[in-house]
Amino acid sequence: DTSLAEVNSFSPSMPISPSSMINQYKFEDEPELRDLFITVDDPESHITAIETFITYRVVTKTSRGEFDSSEYEVRRRYQDFLWLKSKLEEAHPTLIIPPLPEKFIMKGMVERFSDEFIETRRKALHKFLNRIADHPTLTFNEDFKIFLTAQAWELSSHKKQGPGLLSRMGQTVRAVTSSVRGGVKNRPEVFTEMNHYMETFSQKINVLDKIAHRIYKEEREYFNEMKEYGPIYTLWSASEEDIADSLKGVASCIDKCCKATEKRMAGLSENLLPILHEYVLYSEILMGVLKRRDQIQGELDSKVDALANKKTEKDMFSEEIGKLEDKVECANNALKADWDRWKQNMQCDMRSAFTNVAENNLHYYEE
């Protein structure tokens, strides 16, 4: 859905390289003066009798008045990030909560607890917290503040106060079931369009994600073959005096190709694969948000129908309907504002990712 009209506005005499193109784009969503900075770094392995897990250091610097200090340093494990995400979903059911990396990595990519896996996860967790920090509503959530500031024992104590995981799962299942079962009669057209958009987006982003992983896998196989192939020419040159220089030249050429391919693979794994997969997860989150909005609407519709069929208790029903109408309006406004913000971020991220890939490919073929 991204228009490429901007590309045609470049002067025809101007050379269009990915670098010059990316400099021409004006990013309208530049953050204003920030007052909350978060870094996730320094992963540490912990081995106990029961489990092995990684903790990450979370450093927060802020000038906000509601914080008691200007700097905090805590250690958090993946389960703590999961808890924060579930609390944000619970408190803001119709806002788009950023995705977390999945608990289990895809087979064949990287091993769990390898350096590559830990670094990929660290970057994703860093992005998750900073997306929340940049969000106009989520950034002021009380559980988010506790996550950033509480010591391990304080966080553990706070976590025990909330509803249990099973109860939360039950609520989610009920919410999804009721919205799917009945359908929504009075859903505004704008949300029907969002549903259609997300169905198409989900399908396309999943296809892109699969293709990108396949390209990366093929590139890795090609790279491994070249690494074995190059030394053969060096060995061959030792037994062929007449063409030794030519054979060494071929070996050197293959070595250069190897290095260029390795750089290209690094570009794919750093700039493209994480972005595509993040938006695969975003597509699932958005479908869930739209279902939760429909559930609130469905609740209102059922009460309006009940009022029409009942002649007594009209005052009580009218009061309930008034509250539900406010709830639906709040949900609609929250989702609409978040939707525009999400789309703008998504288009900016996609544009940047694909431009990076194009630029990497040009450098690769030049080398």
PDB file of all heavy atoms in Angstrom, residues 228-252 254:
ATOM      1  N   GLU A 228      35.072 -24.233   0.542  1.00  0.00           N
ATOM      2  CA  GLU A 228      35.763 -25.512   0.271  1.00  0.00           C
ATOM      3  C   GLU A 228      36.422 -25.494  -1.113  1.00  0.00           C
ATOM      4  O   GLU A 228      37.450 -26.132  -1.335  1.00  0.00           O
ATOM      5  CB  GLU A 228      34.756 -26.671   0.318  1.00  0.00           C
ATOM      6  CG  GLU A 228      34.225 -26.944   1.722  1.00  0.00           C
ATOM      7  CD  GLU A 228      33.148 -28.026   1.712  1.00  0.00           C
ATOM      8  OE1 GLU A 228      33.064 -28.767   0.707  1.00  0.00           O
ATOM      9  OE2 GLU A 228      32.396 -28.122   2.697  1.00  0.00           O
ATOM     10  N   TYR A 229      35.811 -24.742  -2.035  1.00  0.00           N
ATOM     11  CA  TYR A 229      36.230 -24.746  -3.440  1.00  0.00           C
ATOM     12  C   TYR A 229      37.526 -23.961  -3.652  1.00  0.00           C
ATOM     13  O   TYR A 229      38.405 -24.388  -4.399  1.00  0.00           O
ATOM     14  CB  TYR A 229      35.082 -24.135  -4.245  1.00  0.00           C
ATOM     15  CG  TYR A 229      35.235 -24.119  -5.731  1.00  0.00           C
ATOM     16  CD1 TYR A 229      35.594 -25.260  -6.444  1.00  0.00           C
ATOM     17  CD2 TYR A 229      34.974 -22.942  -6.460  1.00  0.00           C
ATOM     18  CE1 TYR A 229      35.693 -25.239  -7.820  1.00  0.00           C
ATOM     19  CE2 TYR A 229      35.068 -22.903  -7.834  1.00  0.00           C
ATOM     20  CZ  TYR A 229      35.432 -24.053  -8.520  1.00  0.00           C
ATOM     21  OH  TYR A 229      35.528 -24.024  -9.878  1.00  0.00           O
ATOM     22  N   GLY A 230      37.685 -22.820  -2.973  1.00  0.00           N
ATOM     23  CA  GLY A 230      38.844 -21.950  -3.168  1.00  0.00           C
ATOM     24  C   GLY A 230      40.180 -22.636  -2.932  1.00  0.00           C
ATOM     25  O   GLY A 230      41.072 -22.606  -3.802  1.00  0.00           O
ATOM     26  N   PRO A 231      40.376 -23.285  -1.775  1.00  0.00           N
ATOM     27  CA  PRO A 231      41.687 -23.910  -1.487  1.00  0.00           C
ATOM     28  C   PRO A 231      42.099 -24.976  -2.501  1.00  0.00           C
ATOM     29  O   PRO A 231      43.297 -25.269  -2.636  1.00  0.00           O
ATOM     30  CB  PRO A 231      41.473 -24.536  -0.106  1.00  0.00           C
ATOM     31  CG  PRO A 231      40.347 -23.746   0.507  1.00  0.00           C
ATOM     32  CD  PRO A 231      39.467 -23.368  -0.631  1.00  0.00           C
ATOM     33  N   ILE A 232      41.120 -25.568  -3.216  1.00  0.00           N
ATOM     34  CA  ILE A 232      41.462 -26.611  -4.203  1.00  0.00           C
ATOM     35  C   ILE A 232      42.393 -26.040  -5.268  1.00  0.00           C
ATOM     36  O   ILE A 232      43.356 -26.674  -5.694  1.00  0.00           O
ATOM     37  CB  ILE A 232      40.175 -27.187  -4.842  1.00  0.00           C
ATOM     38  CG1 ILE A 232      39.412 -28.009  -3.791  1.00  0.00           C
ATOM     39  CG2 ILE A 232      40.489 -28.025  -6.070  1.00  0.00           C
ATOM     40  CD1 ILE A 232      38.016 -28.395  -4.195  1.00  0.00           C
ATOM     41  N   TYR A 233      42.112 -24.764  -5.694  1.00  0.00           N
ATOM     42  CA  TYR A 233      42.956 -24.139  -6.725  1.00  0.00           C
ATOM     43  C   TYR A 233      44.360 -23.848  -6.197  1.00  0.00           C
ATOM     44  O   TYR A 233      45.347 -23.952  -6.941  1.00  0.00           O
ATOM     45  CB  TYR A 233      42.297 -22.842  -7.220  1.00  0.00           C
ATOM     46  CG  TYR A 233      41.166 -23.111  -8.184  1.00  0.00           C
ATOM     47  CD1 TYR A 233      39.873 -23.353  -7.727  1.00  0.00           C
ATOM     48  CD2 TYR A 233      41.412 -23.147  -9.551  1.00  0.00           C
ATOM     49  CE1 TYR A 233      38.848 -23.623  -8.606  1.00  0.00           C
ATOM     50  CE2 TYR A 233      40.389 -23.408 -10.443  1.00  0.00           C
ATOM     51  CZ  TYR A 233      39.103 -23.653  -9.971  1.00  0.00           C
ATOM     52  OH  TYR A 233      38.092 -23.923 -10.851  1.00  0.00           O
ATOM     53  N   THR A 234      44.476 -23.503  -4.932  1.00  0.00           N
ATOM     54  CA  THR A 234      45.796 -23.251  -4.334  1.00  0.00           C
ATOM     55  C   THR A 234      46.614 -24.546  -4.318  1.00  0.00           C
ATOM     56  O   THR A 234      47.809 -24.560  -4.663  1.00  0.00           O
ATOM     57  CB  THR A 234      45.625 -22.716  -2.893  1.00  0.00           C
ATOM     58  OG1 THR A 234      44.718 -21.603  -2.916  1.00  0.00           O
ATOM     59  CG2 THR A 234      46.947 -22.245  -2.319  1.00  0.00           C
ATOM     60  N   LEU A 235      45.961 -25.659  -3.923  1.00  0.00           N
ATOM     61  CA  LEU A 235      46.645 -26.962  -3.906  1.00  0.00           C
ATOM     62  C   LEU A 235      47.027 -27.391  -5.322  1.00  0.00           C
ATOM     63  O   LEU A 235      48.128 -27.898  -5.567  1.00  0.00           O
ATOM     64  CB  LEU A 235      45.733 -28.022  -3.275  1.00  0.00           C
ATOM     65  CG  LEU A 235      45.466 -27.877  -1.778  1.00  0.00           C
ATOM     66  CD1 LEU A 235      44.347 -28.820  -1.341  1.00  0.00           C
ATOM     67  CD2 LEU A 235      46.747 -28.189  -0.982  1.00  0.00           C
ATOM     68  N   TRP A 236      46.123 -27.158  -6.256  1.00  0.00           N
ATOM     69  CA  TRP A 236      46.349 -27.550  -7.665  1.00  0.00           C
ATOM     70  C   TRP A 236      47.558 -26.789  -8.229  1.00  0.00           C
ATOM     71  O   TRP A 236      48.374 -27.345  -8.965  1.00  0.00           O
ATOM     72  CB  TRP A 236      45.075 -27.232  -8.447  1.00  0.00           C
ATOM     73  CG  TRP A 236      45.049 -27.712  -9.871  1.00  0.00           C
ATOM     74  CD1 TRP A 236      45.967 -28.499 -10.497  1.00  0.00           C
ATOM     75  CD2 TRP A 236      44.046 -27.410 -10.844  1.00  0.00           C
ATOM     76  NE1 TRP A 236      45.611 -28.726 -11.797  1.00  0.00           N
ATOM     77  CE2 TRP A 236      44.432 -28.058 -12.038  1.00  0.00           C
ATOM     78  CE3 TRP A 236      42.882 -26.670 -10.826  1.00  0.00           C
ATOM     79  CZ2 TRP A 236      43.669 -27.963 -13.205  1.00  0.00           C
ATOM     80  CZ3 TRP A 236      42.132 -26.587 -11.980  1.00  0.00           C
ATOM     81  CH2 TRP A 236      42.509 -27.228 -13.162  1.00  0.00           C
ATOM     82  N   SER A 237      47.697 -25.492  -7.863  1.00  0.00           N
ATOM     83  CA  SER A 237      48.784 -24.655  -8.419  1.00  0.00           C
ATOM     84  C   SER A 237      50.166 -25.214  -8.037  1.00  0.00           C
ATOM     85  O   SER A 237      51.143 -25.006  -8.757  1.00  0.00           O
ATOM     86  CB  SER A 237      48.643 -23.212  -7.927  1.00  0.00           C
ATOM     87  OG  SER A 237      48.882 -23.130  -6.532  1.00  0.00           O
ATOM     88  N   ALA A 238      50.233 -25.934  -6.907  1.00  0.00           N
ATOM     89  CA  ALA A 238      51.526 -26.489  -6.464  1.00  0.00           C
ATOM     90  C   ALA A 238      52.024 -27.579  -7.405  1.00  0.00           C
ATOM     91  O   ALA A 238      53.230 -27.836  -7.488  1.00  0.00           O
ATOM     92  CB  ALA A 238      51.384 -27.049  -5.048  1.00  0.00           C
ATOM     93  N   SER A 239      51.113 -28.239  -8.133  1.00  0.00           N
ATOM     94  CA  SER A 239      51.536 -29.346  -9.008  1.00  0.00           C
ATOM     95  C   SER A 239      51.469 -28.970 -10.495  1.00  0.00           C
ATOM     96  O   SER A 239      51.674 -29.807 -11.358  1.00  0.00           O
ATOM     97  CB  SER A 239      50.661 -30.574  -8.748  1.00  0.00           C
ATOM     98  OG  SER A 239      49.306 -30.251  -8.982  1.00  0.00           O
ATOM     99  N   GLU A 240      51.148 -27.712 -10.816  1.00  0.00           N
ATOM    100  CA  GLU A 240      51.049 -27.273 -12.220  1.00  0.00           C
ATOM    101  C   GLU A 240      51.865 -25.989 -12.395  1.00  0.00           C
ATOM    102  O   GLU A 240      51.323 -24.881 -12.294  1.00  0.00           O
ATOM    103  CB  GLU A 240      49.577 -27.014 -12.591  1.00  0.00           C
ATOM    104  CG  GLU A 240      48.717 -28.251 -12.610  1.00  0.00           C
ATOM    105  CD  GLU A 240      48.869 -29.052 -13.894  1.00  0.00           C
ATOM    106  OE1 GLU A 240      49.655 -28.638 -14.768  1.00  0.00           O
ATOM    107  OE2 GLU A 240      48.207 -30.093 -14.015  1.00  0.00           O
ATOM    108  N   GLU A 241      53.169 -26.133 -12.644  1.00  0.00           N
ATOM    109  CA  GLU A 241      54.027 -24.954 -12.721  1.00  0.00           C
ATOM    110  C   GLU A 241      53.611 -23.998 -13.829  1.00  0.00           C
ATOM    111  O   GLU A 241      53.643 -22.781 -13.662  1.00  0.00           O
ATOM    112  CB  GLU A 241      55.484 -25.380 -12.923  1.00  0.00           C
ATOM    113  CG  GLU A 241      56.123 -25.929 -11.653  1.00  0.00           C
ATOM    114  CD  GLU A 241      57.582 -26.300 -11.874  1.00  0.00           C
ATOM    115  OE1 GLU A 241      58.194 -25.729 -12.814  1.00  0.00           O
ATOM    116  OE2 GLU A 241      58.092 -27.153 -11.123  1.00  0.00           O
ATOM    117  N   ASP A 242      53.233 -24.531 -14.986  1.00  0.00           N
ATOM    118  CA  ASP A 242      52.935 -23.687 -16.148  1.00  0.00           C
ATOM    119  C   ASP A 242      51.738 -22.760 -15.916  1.00  0.00           C
ATOM    120  O   ASP A 242      51.708 -21.651 -16.443  1.00  0.00           O
ATOM    121  CB  ASP A 242      52.663 -24.558 -17.401  1.00  0.00           C
ATOM    122  CG  ASP A 242      53.926 -25.302 -17.817  1.00  0.00           C
ATOM    123  OD1 ASP A 242      54.996 -24.936 -17.286  1.00  0.00           O
ATOM    124  OD2 ASP A 242      53.827 -26.223 -18.650  1.00  0.00           O
ATOM    125  N   ILE A 243      50.733 -23.256 -15.185  1.00  0.00           N
ATOM    126  CA  ILE A 243      49.530 -22.418 -14.988  1.00  0.00           C
ATOM    127  C   ILE A 243      49.336 -22.066 -13.506  1.00  0.00           C
ATOM    128  O   ILE A 243      48.226 -21.728 -13.084  1.00  0.00           O
ATOM    129  CB  ILE A 243      48.257 -23.112 -15.551  1.00  0.00           C
ATOM    130  CG1 ILE A 243      48.106 -24.531 -14.971  1.00  0.00           C
ATOM    131  CG2 ILE A 243      48.255 -23.134 -17.065  1.00  0.00           C
ATOM    132  CD1 ILE A 243      46.773 -25.175 -15.271  1.00  0.00           C
ATOM    133  N   ALA A 244      50.406 -22.118 -12.749  1.00  0.00           N
ATOM    134  CA  ALA A 244      50.314 -21.865 -11.300  1.00  0.00           C
ATOM    135  C   ALA A 244      49.757 -20.473 -11.003  1.00  0.00           C
ATOM    136  O   ALA A 244      48.892 -20.309 -10.139  1.00  0.00           O
ATOM    137  CB  ALA A 244      51.678 -22.029 -10.651  1.00  0.00           C
ATOM    138  N   ASP A 245      50.268 -19.442 -11.758  1.00  0.00           N
ATOM    139  CA  ASP A 245      49.807 -18.072 -11.485  1.00  0.00           C
ATOM    140  C   ASP A 245      48.314 -17.920 -11.751  1.00  0.00           C
ATOM    141  O   ASP A 245      47.595 -17.259 -10.990  1.00  0.00           O
ATOM    142  CB  ASP A 245      50.589 -17.062 -12.343  1.00  0.00           C
ATOM    143  CG  ASP A 245      52.047 -16.948 -11.877  1.00  0.00           C
ATOM    144  OD1 ASP A 245      52.319 -17.418 -10.744  1.00  0.00           O
ATOM    145  OD2 ASP A 245      52.883 -16.412 -12.637  1.00  0.00           O
ATOM    146  N   SER A 246      47.865 -18.525 -12.842  1.00  0.00           N
ATOM    147  CA  SER A 246      46.419 -18.449 -13.189  1.00  0.00           C
ATOM    148  C   SER A 246      45.572 -19.123 -12.108  1.00  0.00           C
ATOM    149  O   SER A 246      44.537 -18.587 -11.701  1.00  0.00           O
ATOM    150  CB  SER A 246      46.156 -19.133 -14.533  1.00  0.00           C
ATOM    151  OG  SER A 246      46.864 -18.479 -15.552  1.00  0.00           O
ATOM    152  N   LEU A 247      46.038 -20.297 -11.658  1.00  0.00           N
ATOM    153  CA  LEU A 247      45.275 -21.029 -10.639  1.00  0.00           C
ATOM    154  C   LEU A 247      45.245 -20.258  -9.319  1.00  0.00           C
ATOM    155  O   LEU A 247      44.210 -20.201  -8.643  1.00  0.00           O
ATOM    156  CB  LEU A 247      45.883 -22.422 -10.417  1.00  0.00           C
ATOM    157  CG  LEU A 247      45.747 -23.383 -11.606  1.00  0.00           C
ATOM    158  CD1 LEU A 247      46.565 -24.648 -11.361  1.00  0.00           C
ATOM    159  CD2 LEU A 247      44.282 -23.760 -11.854  1.00  0.00           C
ATOM    160  N   LYS A 248      46.376 -19.630  -8.960  1.00  0.00           N
ATOM    161  CA  LYS A 248      46.399 -18.814  -7.746  1.00  0.00           C
ATOM    162  C   LYS A 248      45.467 -17.610  -7.891  1.00  0.00           C
ATOM    163  O   LYS A 248      44.831 -17.177  -6.931  1.00  0.00           O
ATOM    164  CB  LYS A 248      47.831 -18.338  -7.448  1.00  0.00           C
ATOM    165  CG  LYS A 248      48.709 -19.411  -6.820  1.00  0.00           C
ATOM    166  CD  LYS A 248      50.122 -18.909  -6.639  1.00  0.00           C
ATOM    167  CE  LYS A 248      51.047 -20.028  -6.156  1.00  0.00           C
ATOM    168  NZ  LYS A 248      52.461 -19.600  -6.178  1.00  0.00           N
ATOM    169  N   GLY A 249      45.419 -17.073  -9.105  1.00  0.00           N
ATOM    170  CA  GLY A 249      44.518 -15.935  -9.383  1.00  0.00           C
ATOM    171  C   GLY A 249      43.053 -16.320  -9.169  1.00  0.00           C
ATOM    172  O   GLY A 249      42.276 -15.559  -8.579  1.00  0.00           O
ATOM    173  N   VAL A 250      42.697 -17.522  -9.640  1.00  0.00           N
ATOM    174  CA  VAL A 250      41.318 -18.011  -9.453  1.00  0.00           C
ATOM    175  C   VAL A 250      41.037 -18.200  -7.956  1.00  0.00           C
ATOM    176  O   VAL A 250      39.969 -17.814  -7.459  1.00  0.00           O
ATOM    177  CB  VAL A 250      41.075 -19.338 -10.223  1.00  0.00           C
ATOM    178  CG1 VAL A 250      39.702 -19.902  -9.883  1.00  0.00           C
ATOM    179  CG2 VAL A 250      41.183 -19.117 -11.724  1.00  0.00           C
ATOM    180  N   ALA A 251      42.014 -18.771  -7.230  1.00  0.00           N
ATOM    181  CA  ALA A 251      41.843 -18.986  -5.779  1.00  0.00           C
ATOM    182  C   ALA A 251      41.619 -17.648  -5.061  1.00  0.00           C
ATOM    183  O   ALA A 251      40.745 -17.534  -4.195  1.00  0.00           O
ATOM    184  CB  ALA A 251      43.072 -19.685  -5.209  1.00  0.00           C
ATOM    185  N   SER A 252      42.389 -16.638  -5.470  1.00  0.00           N
ATOM    186  CA  SER A 252      42.259 -15.308  -4.863  1.00  0.00           C
ATOM    187  C   SER A 252      40.884 -14.702  -5.176  1.00  0.00           C
ATOM    188  O   SER A 252      40.246 -14.085  -4.318  1.00  0.00           O
ATOM    189  CB  SER A 252      43.375 -14.411  -5.398  1.00  0.00           C
ATOM    190  OG  SER A 252      43.118 -13.078  -5.060  1.00  0.00           O
ATOM    191  N   ILE A 254      38.084 -16.338  -5.823  1.00  0.00           N
ATOM    192  CA  ILE A 254      37.054 -17.048  -5.045  1.00  0.00           C
ATOM    193  C   ILE A 254      37.058 -16.555  -3.601  1.00  0.00           C
ATOM    194  O   ILE A 254      36.004 -16.387  -2.981  1.00  0.00           O
ATOM    195  CB  ILE A 254      37.276 -18.583  -5.115  1.00  0.00           C
ATOM    196  CG1 ILE A 254      36.995 -19.089  -6.538  1.00  0.00           C
ATOM    197  CG2 ILE A 254      36.346 -19.315  -4.130  1.00  0.00           C
ATOM    198  CD1 ILE A 254      37.415 -20.522  -6.801  1.00  0.00           C
TER     199      ILE A 254
END
